[in-house]
Amino acid sequence: MTLGTWPVGQEAAVGEAVERAREAAAWWGGLDFAERARRLNAWKRTLVHRLDELADLIHREMGKPVDDARTEVVLAIEHLGWAATHARKVLGPRRVSSGLLGINLAATVAYEPLGVVGVIGPWNYPVFTPMGSIAYALAAGNTVVFKPSEYAPDVGRWLADTFAEAVHEAPVFQVVTGAAETGAALCRGGVDKLGFTGSTATGKRVMAACAESLTPVLIEAGGKDAAIVAADADLDAAAEAVAFGAFGNAGQTCVGIERVYVVEEAFDGFVRRVRDIAERIRVGAGPEAQLGRITMDRQIPVIRRHIEDAVERGGTAVTGGPDSVRPPFVHPVVLVDVPEDSEAVTEETFGPTLVINRVRDLHEAVDRANASRYGLGSAVFTADRRTAMTLARRLRTGMTSINGVQSFALVPALPFGGTGDSGFGRIHGPDGLREFTRPKAITRQRFAPPVELASFSRTTKDVTSALGLVRLLHGRRGRR
Ligand code: NAD
């Protein structure tokens, strides 16, 4: 089915968009925070009023159920509002202590916009995910050129069109459509930073292209999130949460749960509960469906290979199996006791499959969860708050949710991003605002320094006095 046709932005078109964005940046970056917030909030209200229209577009373009699409837009709206409201407090000028050596100085720091930010987005959350860069970059005073996924160009265009209705003075937020070539052109197009969300392999290509011009990058890449289930966990609640985390959006979620480590005592009960939920999930294209199609045809053989590999190497499919792959749909698959070095455990599957493996204790659970080249999100289920916090801190991921899945994405004040092959840099929260700025440090002399160190009239006595001060402050035991 063809929903629309969009031009493939070539190098020249991308270059022109960046040029227009640079001119617009002079105006947008020159507005004060309140004026920008007023305009961003006007756009936010449009998103609220036309939410169903946008959700329907997401549904038609990439296939997720309408209610999932609505939820995604709700989250994006929450983030847009937070970024608009908090930009001044996080980024505006503030005085900092000038320290003893700088006692005669007033010191301020402010976070200034970079200029033009390029954003390259994926299709799996075509609004929520890029909005993590777009809203925060705009609120920080940058203009944005956005290349949506070639699987969701209409959604990208819709966002830019509605923004232009709210902010008509200048092309502050533009869209260029196309696939890899257009993305590569944006990397080389003279932007001041590139915010990328997509697979790890593409992230490396983006970084290499940006390296040519020393353009800084933010990389939000893939994941292989693990959940840990302790013996004292509420197994009904844990199974419900993990099933949604694993199968929701047909498993096409960067912070989707793909592995679960369950302590021996709770294993059978947990697997039974997840299996019961998985078997009730409705898959299809109709309005009653809870899981839609697999958006990218080329992912289907990957999902099939991971299931087959797990079963061939001794894993057991307790729900579904290789036959669950019925293009364009994949029905939920629950695999247990899968070898840790099989692809279903080590690679991002990006389908509605879940590996549940048993562990002796929580130490082993953490070790296995951390034995991944990815490090995006994770989840912990236990009734003990202290154990939960200890486990969460030991998990080598950017985010962890306790007794829930993916809940960190609901909190706009929290940073979102990963480590290792999941990328670096952060969207959301104060870190997400600062990501699209450069800190500007200013010192102002209030009175002549008691000891002048930065002058050719400096004497050895001046240096000795400074040294004496430093010895007093930093050279004695028992002090910080
Ligand atoms: P992808 O890497 O195939 O494509 C992402 C974007 O990059 C698309 O817009 C694509 O056109 C563009 N692109 C492709 N080749 C390029 C090149 N050489 N230069 C510049 N741009 C290029 O990813 P996808 O299939 O759209 O999305 C799924 C992936 O995204 C999964 O791995 C998922 O985990 C990840 N993801 C991560 C996050 C996160 O926040 N960490 C969020 C959502 C999705």
Side-chain angles (χ1 to χ4, degrees):
M1 180 175 55
T2 306
L3 289 176
T5 49
W6 299 109
V8 173
Q10 307 291 357
E11 220 169 279
V14 172
E16 282 161 23
V18 173
E19 212 38 63
R20 282 193 297 273
R22 187 156 307 288
E23 280 169 31
W27 170 70
W28 182 250
L31 294 178
D32 64 26
F33 286 107
E35 285 179 288
R36 276 198 296 268
R38 189 165 61 71
R39 288 168 171 85
L40 290 172
N41 282 326
W43 185 37
K44 183 184 74 173
R45 284 192 295 278
T46 308
L47 297 188
V48 174
H49 294 144
R50 293 171 64 181
L51 189 149
D52 282 334
E53 189 188 321
L54 179 57
D56 189 55
L57 195 54
I58 298 172
H59 163 69
R60 282 186 290 130
E61 230 177 10
M62 60 69 65
K64 74 172 63 175
V66 170
D67 274 351
D68 283 0
R70 285 196 182 117
T71 311
E72 169 179 352
V73 180
V74 164
L75 291 187
I77 289 168
E78 176 80 352
H79 278 280
L80 175 57
W82 192 93
T85 311
H86 289 80
R88 184 215 301 260
K89 186 157 179 259
V90 175
L91 306 175
R94 81 188 138 82
R95 285 280 290 268
V96 296
S97 160
S98 53
L100 204 69
L101 292 179
I103 197 158
N104 64 318
L105 304 173
T108 52
V109 61
Y111 294 83
E112 299 188 344
L114 295 167
V116 182
V117 170
V119 175
I120 296 179
W123 47 265
N124 60 339
Y125 290 85
V127 172
F128 172 70
T129 294
M131 191 63 99
S133 293
I134 295 166
Y136 289 77
L138 290 172
N142 303 281
T143 54
V144 168
V145 178
F146 172 39
K147 193 208 82 65
S149 165
E150 58 274 32
Y151 290 90
D154 223 357
V155 169
R157 179 69 68 193
W158 192 96
L159 290 175
D161 286 350
T162 50
F163 184 91
E165 286 167 25
V167 182
H168 43 78
E169 293 95 329
V172 169
F173 172 36
Q174 301 172 77
V175 157
V176 289
T177 48
E181 235 176 82
T182 311
L186 187 56
C187 296
R188 297 192 171 94
V191 294
D192 298 293
K193 182 152 189 170
L194 198 293
F196 168 81
T197 310
S199 62
T200 306
T202 309
K204 290 177 184 172
R205 279 180 220 122
V206 162
M207 205 172 159
C210 287
E212 290 169 18
S213 52
L214 221 58
T215 301
V217 288
L218 156 76
I219 304 283
E220 295 284 354
K224 189 75 188 175
D225 287 10
I228 292 177
V229 180
D232 65 356
D234 173 342
L235 293 188
D236 287 325
E240 201 63 57
V242 165
F244 188 79
F247 308 128
N249 207 27
Q252 304 167 115
T253 302
C254 54
V255 286
I257 301 288
E258 299 206 358
R259 307 175 284 155
V260 193
Y261 296 107
V262 187
V263 290
E264 189 69 60
E265 303 95 288
F267 187 79
D268 291 340
F270 180 76
V271 170
R272 197 175 56 247
R273 286 168 170 84
V274 173
R275 189 196 60 203
D276 290 349
I277 298 167
E279 284 170 0
R280 287 199 306 270
I281 293 173
R282 297 184 299 276
V283 181
E288 74 301 334
Q290 294 169 300
L291 302 192
R293 64 185 155 89
I294 298 300
T295 308
M296 267 193 322
D297 294 345
R298 68 183 147 93
Q299 197 63 21
I300 290 199
V302 176
I303 299 169
R304 187 184 287 121
R305 196 180 70 229
H306 286 192
I307 301 168
E308 285 171 353
D309 182 55
V311 174
E312 274 163 24
R313 302 190 47 200
T316 305
V318 295
T319 304
D323 294 346
S324 303
V325 182
R326 293 170 227 162
F329 303 104
V330 176
H331 293 251
V333 178
V334 180
L335 300 154
V336 301
D337 296 325
V338 179
E340 286 290 306
D341 60 352
S342 74
E343 285 184 312
V345 176
T346 59
E347 302 296 318
E348 186 179 48
T349 307
F350 231 53
T353 66
L354 179 66
V355 169
I356 310 179
N357 279 349
R358 65 186 87 220
V359 286
R360 275 190 317 276
D361 54 30
L362 294 172
H363 295 293
E364 188 184 2
V366 171
D367 289 347
R368 290 211 199 173
N370 283 346
S372 170
R373 58 194 174 89
Y374 294 107
L376 196 53
S378 51
V380 169
F381 293 87
T382 165
D384 186 272
R385 198 195 292 188
R386 185 179 290 199
T387 306
M389 289 305 283
T390 307
L391 292 174
R393 291 199 181 100
R394 285 183 55 206
L395 284 164
R396 196 190 58 94
T397 58
M399 296 88 58
T400 301
S401 55
I402 295 170
N403 294 333
V405 291
Q406 300 157 3
S407 42
F408 39 77
L410 303 175
V411 183
L414 282 177
F416 184 104
T419 188
D421 271 12
S422 295
F424 51 83
R426 292 293 181 267
I427 54 173
H428 302 172
D431 300 89
L433 283 167
R434 289 194 197 105
E435 190 73 42
F436 299 105
T437 61
R438 60 189 162 83
K440 175 75 188 194
I442 301 177
T443 48
R444 177 177 57 80
Q445 178 158 306
R446 294 185 297 137
F447 53 86
V451 179
E452 181 57 280
L453 294 175
S455 159
F456 288 114
S457 57
R458 180 184 71 194
T459 62
T460 301
K461 192 164 156 261
D462 290 332
V463 177
T464 312
S465 313
L467 208 61
L469 201 59
V470 164
R471 282 201 184 105
L472 194 69
L473 280 174
H474 301 293
R476 289 187 304 162
R477 272 181 194 283
R479 294 193 68 102
R480 279 183 296 132

